[in-house]
Every structure is written in structure tokens, then in C-alpha cells.
């Protein structure tokens, strides 16, 4: 399959996981989703990541977002790795890990990168909206642990901008001022943003974050 791009439909699949067999679309339901992959089990950086996601799950839950991990090792290996994750990260794993031995999901999501390793998945992240569209893709090098605070920040931005005519500026965090979309006229902005707005340039207008 060709590379998945932003706005593409996220491929559906059936898979064996640490929480039983599931259908990806059924698992997501009407929620947002985060799918993140790992080259293999028993890797140090990924062990810390899986534990971190388990600790952050209440934050994902608050954002109506389901998380699911993937590794190309088999289910028995996953279950052994889960024990290590829970022991070393002092957490209970509370989301599924896909066993992708046949690389079906890895291929669907273009996670096999011959220039990195033609046998193992690269460390990718996909954020998927409730209409099953790909909203973010990220690929990390093996030596750098993923920043899940950043993924939560992106989800906050995506959810806000999906329903309000705004965009979020650099380094924005939930609750801070936002940018009014260029397609919105000043007259319309006065109606949409009753708290008012500041016109820095005709194309750069800031306003308080709209209520969720």
C-alpha cells in the first residue's frame, strides 16, 4: 500500500491482541484513536513508552481517545513483555497490544521501512478521528522516546479546531489564546467570538479559546 497521508481513511483490520481478537473500527467506535508501533518486544525505550501510556490512559479517556499498540512479535511474547512492563514501570497495562506476526497491519499502515530495517516496524504514531481519517502521523528514531504530552496537546488542538473556526499557534496548550481561521471575516468573528479578538495583522487575529 502507498504511504498514508493526512486526510486518508485509516485502514480497518482484524487482529489478535493481548485483550483478545478485535476489529479496529469496532474497537475505536465513535472515539478518537492513537495507534503506535514498536519494532519488537523487550526493547528498552518501548518498555518505558508502554508504561507511560498506561499511566496516561485517564488523560486519553478524558479526550474520548482509545489507544492501541503494535509489535510484530507473537502473542505469547507480548504477554511475557507485559509482565516486564508492569514490573519495571510500576503500572497495570490497560490497553491492547496487537500481535502482528504476519505484518498485515504494519504493511497496511506502511510501517515497514527498508532503509531502517526490512523486517521490523519503524516507531510510528497515528492519530485517527472518529470518522476514521488520519489526522497526524509521526515517526521516531529508535533512540528517542515518544513525547505523549505532545500527543495529548495535538489531540486537544485537533478536537478544538474540528468544531471551532480556529487554529492553534506554536507551543499552544489547552486554555491559551488561539488564532482565528483566515476564512472567517471580521464581521463573522465578532459573532463567533463574543469575548472579542485582537487583530495583529489582517491575517493574524487572536482570540480566547472558545468553550468546548
Amino acid at each position: 500500500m502507498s504511504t498514508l497521508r493526512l486526510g486518508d481513511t485509516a485502514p480497518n483490520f482484524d487482529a489478535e491482541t493481548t485483550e483478545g481478537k478485535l476489529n479496529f473500527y469496532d474497537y475505536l467506535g465513535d472515539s478518537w484513536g492513537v495507534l503506535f508501533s514498536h519494532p519488537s518486544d523487550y526493547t528498552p525505550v518501548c518498555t518505558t513508552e508502554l508504561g507511560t501510556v498506561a499511566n496516561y490512559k485517564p488523560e486519553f479517556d478524558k479526550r474520548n481517545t482509545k489507544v492501541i499498540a503494535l509489535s510484530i512479535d507473537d502473542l505469547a511474547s507480548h504477554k511475557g513483555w507485559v509482565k516486564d512492563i508492569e514490573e519495571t514501570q510500576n503500572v497495570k497495562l490497560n490497553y491492547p497490544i496487537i500481535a502482528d506476526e504476519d505484518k498485515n497491519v504494519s504493511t497496511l499502515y506502511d510501517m515497514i521501512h527498508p532503509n531502517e530495517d526490512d523486517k521490523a516496524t519503524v516507531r510510528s504514531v497515528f492519530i485517527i478521528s472518529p470518522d476514521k481519517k488520519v489526522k497526524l502521523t509521526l515517526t521516531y528514531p529508535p533512540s528517542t522516546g515518544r513525547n505523549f504530552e505532545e500527543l495529548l496537546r495535538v489531540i486537544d488542538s485537533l478536537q478544538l479546531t474540528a468544531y471551532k473556526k480556529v487554529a492553534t499557534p506554536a507551543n499552544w496548550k489547552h486554555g491559551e489564546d488561539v488564532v482565528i481561521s483566515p476564512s472567517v471575516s471580521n464581521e463573522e468573528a465578532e459573532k463567533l467570538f463574543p469575548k472579542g479578538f485582537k487583530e495583529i495583522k489582517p491575517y493574524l487575529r487572536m482570540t480566547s479559546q472558545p468553550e468546548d
Side-chain angles (χ1 to χ4, degrees):
M1 180 174 177
S2 60
T3 302
L4 278 177
R5 304 187 190 281
L6 299 187
D8 288 350
T9 299
N12 193 21
F13 56 83
D14 295 306
E16 293 289 347
T17 79
T18 50
E19 295 185 2
K21 189 169 185 176
L22 60 75
N23 174 273
F24 187 50
Y25 279 13
D26 289 346
Y27 173 71
L28 293 180
D30 294 328
S31 300
W32 290 71
V34 175
L35 168 64
F36 63 112
S37 62
H38 303 272
S40 59
D41 294 354
Y42 300 102
T43 48
V45 173
C46 295
T47 297
T48 66
E49 290 178 330
L50 288 163
T52 298
V53 172
N55 278 318
Y56 273 79
K57 190 168 181 295
E59 291 299 320
F60 287 108
D61 289 344
K62 280 198 301 188
R63 292 162 172 82
N64 187 33
T65 300
K66 292 184 177 177
V67 294
I68 187 167
L70 174 147
S71 172
I72 58 171
D73 289 321
D74 61 30
L75 205 54
S77 175
H78 282 7
K79 289 181 177 178
W81 189 25
V82 166
K83 292 178 182 177
D84 280 5
I85 294 163
E86 293 181 339
E87 176 190 341
T88 63
Q89 307 304 303
N90 193 31
V91 70
K92 182 73 174 173
L93 209 73
N94 45 19
Y95 57 90
I97 306 173
I98 296 165
D100 194 35
E101 274 187 286
D102 59 7
K103 300 185 180 66
N104 174 50
V105 181
S106 303
T107 302
L108 280 175
Y109 280 79
D110 191 37
M111 296 181 195
I112 304 294
H113 194 326
N115 292 334
E116 181 70 26
D117 187 327
D118 61 4
K119 295 180 181 178
T121 56
V122 293
R123 299 173 64 250
S124 298
V125 182
F126 299 88
I127 295 180
I128 299 162
S129 58
D131 62 356
K132 309 302 184 288
K133 300 296 184 183
V134 175
K135 294 298 186 180
L136 172 137
T137 64
L138 281 172
T139 301
Y140 283 74
S143 57
T144 304
R146 284 171 268 212
N147 185 331
F148 292 98
E149 287 280 355
E150 168 63 5
L151 294 181
L152 289 170
R153 188 188 79 88
V154 172
I155 291 167
D156 284 341
S157 174
L158 287 169
Q159 292 182 347
L160 175 66
T161 59
Y163 306 113
K164 306 292 183 180
K165 293 183 178 181
V166 296
T168 56
N171 294 338
W172 174 87
K173 293 180 181 177
H174 190 274
E176 296 179 349
D177 287 355
V178 296
V179 176
I180 298 173
S181 298
S183 61
V184 176
S185 68
N186 282 351
E187 292 74 20
E188 188 181 1
E190 288 171 359
K191 297 174 184 175
L192 290 173
F193 309 108
K195 294 180 181 178
F197 62 92
K198 181 179 180 181
E199 183 175 286
I200 300 167
K201 293 286 184 181
Y203 61 85
L204 178 56
R205 297 163 297 168
M206 305 295 295
T207 188
S208 300
Q209 178 181 316
E211 298 296 327
D212 293 342

